[in-house]
Amino acid sequence: MTAVDLPDPGLLDPDWVRRTVRTALDEDLGPEPGRDLTTQSTVPEELSGIAHLVAREPGVVAGLPVVAEVTAQVAGRLGLPVPVVEQRVPDGSAVRPGDLLAVLSGPVQVLLVAERTALNLASRASGVATHTRRWADRLRGTGAQVLDTRKTTPGLRELEKYAVRCGGGTNKRMGLYDVAMIKDNHVVAAGGITPAIEAVRARFGDVPLQVEADTPAQALEAVAAGARFLLLDNMPPETLTEVVTAVRAGEARTGRIELEATGNLTLDRAAAVAATGVDYLSVGALTHSSPILDLALDLVDGL
């Protein structure tokens, strides 16, 4: 896995982080303040210690700042001091097994109660970032970028799309509210591509518009109707090349058209698809099929 300089992925929305951690803790501990039957029975409140957050396998880390929010909320529920969390590597870093990601020091009860929630969120985000980096590495030098989709885990979209950015990918849209995307069912419902485009423009004239096309004819119709971003769905490389050539030939008149290949893309085919001249490859698997990255929180001996 390549270590590269990537654009700053930005920050997670702190309000989203607070809400999500609160929900996750309610799920694990029961309604606030909640309880951990085992930890609160076996670990004295006054016992303090140190824990290391470490990587157990190679990958790219993301979501580490969430760990501090988890420990802070747990401390508040238990009425104990908030642990100090010292993050040792930035999100987006490539790591190896055994690498130290963060050092946590404070009440052991807090560290153990927070452990699983913190790991669930950081491991999930790191898995998405790791998968995304493989695509970003495969596309390096081609001029194409990898995009995510809305195929995210309900409630975790903010985290997963942040993780895509940490891995070197690009967010396509955050939801149904920020980009109008005309797909096959919209075309059927509206009576065609051109009527669908006209309907969106009449209702929401100032929003970004993207149009899915299954054939070269649909792609050219969409451009003629004013679309400037096309999703070229399930097209083999030869067809993609045909569409790219035709669309680019008309850009002196239309202006730049952004072209995205989508549907059944694999890492093995990524470079060949990028070579057709598309700007983007959208990959739902970045968020719907990434395995977690195995992280662990280990208490240091000598408590």
Side-chain angles (χ1 to χ4, degrees):
M1 187 167 300
T2 307
V4 294
D5 292 327
L6 297 170
D8 187 341
L11 300 175
L12 284 164
D13 178 358
D15 290 334
W16 178 89
V17 173
R18 282 191 289 271
R19 292 193 308 269
T20 301
V21 168
R22 185 182 308 117
T23 298
L25 290 175
D26 283 345
E27 183 177 68
D28 208 23
L29 305 176
E32 194 169 344
R35 60 184 183 176
D36 176 342
L37 300 174
T38 311
T39 297
Q40 290 176 286
S41 298
T42 60
V43 179
E45 288 186 357
E46 64 273 13
L47 183 65
S48 293
I50 296 174
H52 288 171
L53 179 64
V54 297
R56 283 184 170 166
E57 61 181 326
V60 175
V61 292
L64 298 185
V66 173
V67 174
E69 179 64 26
V70 175
T71 57
Q73 287 198 27
V74 168
R77 290 179 182 228
L78 299 183
L80 294 173
V82 176
V84 174
V85 178
E86 180 189 352
Q87 187 174 326
R88 292 293 180 87
V89 299
D91 279 355
S93 298
V95 298
R96 296 170 298 179
D99 281 357
L100 180 60
L101 310 181
V103 176
L104 292 69
S105 56
V108 174
Q109 272 199 11
V110 175
L111 300 180
L112 296 186
V113 171
E115 175 185 7
R116 179 44 50 196
T117 295
L119 291 177
N120 283 347
L121 293 170
S123 294
R124 174 64 184 150
S126 297
V128 171
T130 298
H131 190 179
T132 303
R133 181 66 58 81
R134 295 191 184 106
W135 279 89
D137 285 348
R138 193 63 60 91
L139 293 176
R140 186 165 292 108
T142 67
Q145 301 176 52
V146 63
L147 299 178
D148 58 18
T149 71
R150 287 172 45 246
K151 296 174 182 177
T152 54
T153 307
L156 294 183
R157 182 170 296 175
E158 177 82 16
L159 180 68
E160 291 175 346
K161 283 184 170 282
Y162 168 78
V164 165
R165 301 195 301 273
C166 289
T170 301
N171 298 151
K172 183 174 182 179
R173 58 175 177 164
M174 293 305 293
L176 296 172
Y177 60 89
D178 57 343
V179 174
M181 185 185 297
I182 296 172
K183 302 190 76 174
D184 51 358
N185 285 332
H186 302 112
V187 171
V188 171
I193 285 180
T194 299
I197 292 173
E198 291 172 347
V200 171
R201 286 299 180 216
R203 182 75 181 273
F204 299 109
D206 59 344
V207 302
L209 173 65
Q210 302 176 2
V211 180
E212 181 182 79
D214 298 326
T215 66
Q218 286 184 332
L220 295 178
E221 178 186 353
V223 171
R228 295 298 177 263
F229 191 118
L230 302 182
L231 292 72
L232 307 177
D233 189 37
N234 283 299
M235 293 184 183
E238 310 79 51
T239 306
L240 284 172
T241 299
E242 176 188 344
V243 173
V244 171
T245 300
V247 170
R248 298 289 183 238
E251 286 183 336
R253 173 179 51 83
T254 64
R256 177 69 176 174
I257 308 293
E258 293 183 278
L259 299 174
E260 169 198 318
T262 184
N264 294 317
L265 300 177
T266 64
L267 274 171
D268 290 343
R269 296 178 54 234
V273 172
T276 65
V278 295
D279 302 292
Y280 309 105
L281 283 70
S282 69
V283 181
L286 297 182
T287 50
H288 72 59
S289 295
S290 293
I292 67 160
L293 185 70
D294 192 8
L295 309 178
L297 186 70
D298 298 325
L299 286 176
V300 177
D301 289 338
L303 293 178

